[in-house]
Amino acid sequence: MRGPATELIHAGESGMGDAVPLTTPIYETSTFVFENAKELVAYNEGRSSKYLYSRYGNPTIVSVERKLAVLDRAEKALLFSSGQGATTTILMAHAKAGDEIVCSAAIYGGTLHLLHDLLVKFGISSRFVSIAELGTPERIIGERTKIVWFESPINPTTRCVDVQAIAQACRARGVLSVIDNTFASPINQQPLALGVDLAMQSATKYLNGHSDVTGGVVTGPAALVDPIEKVRRMVGTVMDPMPGYALGRGVKTLPLRIARHNANAQAVAEYLEADRRVTRVYYPGLASHPDHAVARLQMFGFGGIVCFDLDGQYERAERVFDRLKVIKRAASLGGVESLISMPVLTSQWGHTDDQLRQAGITRGMLRLSVGLEDAADLIADLDQGLAGS
Ligand SMILES: *Cc1c(COP(=O)(O)O)cnc(C)c1O
């Protein structure tokens, strides 16, 4: 008779082979059991489909990675504990001391800080280029350039760049192109099909879509993703099974959600554009958007982010921001809930007038992540908010 401590730990574990679940369960385990030494040798020699340790791989995570690879028509996908975890791991795998990263100056703040403040400490330098310079991509690549990192659409102005042109210029020079595809999601934009080497996303946003998970993903060919997987093991930026499960559940409705985000955002953008209290509206789906033509060519839908300007006046933007009721004041985006932010209070906090001008941002801008509520309620909320402007 084994003692109660032994029984409580070992009785009833595994051995549920006859229960075939429809959905992938949460494999909430840090490690996996082997029968004997031979099985371990087979694993080490790559002749086994077994799992060893959850930092190396976990069935809950792998099931979601397979979905995300299929979605991007990629050979492989890797999940990370956050979008920043994905970015860091990609860059550590593919850049080394002495290399230069060329990065869009209009980029997610976290990416900017990572390149500007942290990677320099490891001898990896960065050069930031404007949206105009990204328009002639063959000219932005220098002697030491290893990676070109960019976004489209870009936060918060939703400006778009020619993804295929950048990818081609990089390929011609043997430079790795990486896009942060978070704003578009794979439903609205397929960067790998446009020739980009690697596509990264914050899974925190549209992929999960319910504002309750932090995660990141990269997709691409095995030759480029395998080295990233090796680094993920070393630095431990892997996603846990519990958020992996939530993400796998959330992503099942991605096409339905994105269709509604697109439709709601278009309706909101058209309403704002027709309202005289609003100076300017940025939405790639509007004919007035500076990059509408390229967006139409490379996107299947224009996304859920709408940016609008109240004459550059902070006080007016603040009044509208504070009055909204259905739309919540919060950072982040891509969830079922509509969220609003003031770029000068979040991603562009502390920036000088000059820096703001370069990024095409004003103090009177509001960025709206249009959620899945009824469009009429969102428009009514904006209408009563603007009444105070
Ligand atoms: C949120 C975001 C990130 C960072 O992702 P986290 O999951 O917050 O680490 C990177 N790029 C873009 C465009 C984002 O919106």
Side-chain angles (χ1 to χ4, degrees):
M1 190 54 187
R2 299 195 283 192
T6 308
E7 290 297 355
L8 283 172
I9 290 168
H10 293 289
E13 291 291 339
S14 66
M16 305 293 185
D18 283 339
V20 182
L22 175 64
T23 60
T24 307
I26 309 173
Y27 281 83
E28 196 64 73
T29 184
S30 56
T31 189
F32 299 86
V33 179
F34 284 76
E35 282 304 315
N36 50 47
K38 257 207 186 76
E39 280 190 1
L40 270 159
V41 173
Y43 176 89
N44 289 328
E45 291 178 353
R47 294 184 286 105
S48 164
S49 57
K50 280 192 172 288
Y51 289 83
L52 178 85
Y53 187 58
S54 277
R55 177 156 49 77
Y56 298 2
N58 175 290
T60 307
I61 298 301
V62 168
S63 83
V64 185
E65 288 175 339
R66 285 186 185 149
K67 285 182 202 296
L68 296 178
V70 172
L71 195 59
D72 267 355
R73 292 170 183 78
E75 255 184 289
K76 280 203 166 170
L78 290 179
L79 280 174
F80 298 86
S81 51
S82 68
Q84 285 301 104
T87 302
T88 307
T89 312
I90 294 165
L91 294 174
M92 287 181 98
H94 285 289
K96 60 178 189 315
D99 288 343
E100 176 195 67
I101 296 166
V102 170
C103 184
S104 168
I107 199 81
Y108 178 70
T111 312
L112 189 94
H113 291 303
L114 175 67
L115 295 175
H116 194 269
D117 304 340
L118 187 64
L119 288 189
V120 283
K121 294 209 294 186
F122 301 92
I124 300 166
S125 63
S126 297
R127 185 156 49 83
F128 295 93
V129 295
S130 67
I131 294 173
E133 287 172 300
L134 283 165
T136 51
E138 58 290 340
R139 288 201 218 144
I140 61 173
I141 296 166
E143 283 307 311
R144 291 189 302 113
T145 307
K146 186 69 200 292
I147 297 171
V148 171
W149 187 286
F150 66 106
E151 288 172 16
S152 187
I154 294 165
N155 181 44
T157 56
T158 71
R159 290 293 305 270
C160 301
V161 292
D162 186 336
V163 174
Q164 194 161 26
I166 294 171
Q168 278 172 0
C170 288
R171 187 144 307 178
R173 293 285 298 271
V175 168
L176 194 71
S177 59
V178 190
I179 190 171
D180 179 338
N181 200 35
T182 302
F183 267 42
S185 92
I187 303 299
N188 282 336
Q189 185 165 267
Q190 291 268 297
L192 301 180
L194 294 168
V196 178
D197 291 317
L198 289 169
M200 169 270 164
Q201 281 174 87
S202 167
T204 313
K205 316 294 168 54
Y206 289 105
L207 290 181
N208 179 62
H210 295 75
S211 314
D212 52 7
V213 162
T214 302
V217 63
V218 66
T219 53
L224 295 174
V225 173
D226 287 345
I228 304 170
E229 184 169 15
K230 282 204 184 100
V231 175
R232 188 181 67 172
R233 285 186 184 204
M234 288 190 264
V235 297
T237 43
V238 69
M239 178 178 265
D240 247 24
M242 201 86 95
Y245 173 81
L247 174 60
R249 179 170 169 163
V251 83
K252 287 177 187 175
T253 55
L254 184 68
L256 292 170
R257 286 189 285 107
I258 294 294
R260 178 71 176 250
H261 282 298
N262 290 345
N264 275 2
Q266 184 77 35
V268 165
E270 285 172 9
Y271 157 76
L272 290 171
E273 188 168 50
D275 195 300
R276 277 197 311 220
R277 296 167 292 188
V278 178
T279 324
R280 183 134 192 215
V281 184
Y282 294 86
Y283 182 66
L286 293 177
S288 60
H289 189 279
D291 310 309
H292 180 60
V294 72
R296 272 182 62 168
L297 278 178
Q298 67 192 13
M299 299 181 80
F300 305 106
F302 301 113
I305 307 297
V306 177
C307 183
F308 60 103
D309 194 0
L310 299 175
D311 217 11
Q313 293 182 36
Y314 178 87
E315 292 73 19
R316 283 191 68 204
E318 183 188 38
R319 281 198 292 274
V320 175
F321 184 76
D322 288 354
R323 280 173 67 98
L324 294 171
K325 295 191 170 77
V326 178
I327 300 164
K328 296 296 185 293
R329 288 155 289 273
S332 199
L333 58 109
V336 297
E337 311 86 352
S338 288
L339 302 180
I340 194 151
S341 65
M342 293 180 66
V344 289
L345 297 185
T346 49
S347 48
Q348 270 72 29
W349 171 251
H351 285 205
T352 63
D353 285 338
D354 218 39
Q355 286 172 315
L356 291 178
R357 206 171 312 116
Q358 268 178 16
I361 292 160
T362 79
R363 299 193 186 277
M365 264 185 185
L366 291 157
R367 187 199 74 186
L368 192 55
S369 172
V370 181
L372 305 186
E373 300 93 340
D374 295 286
D377 292 328
L378 298 177
I379 289 169
D381 196 27
L382 286 163
D383 191 53
Q384 68 80 23
L386 284 164
S389 74

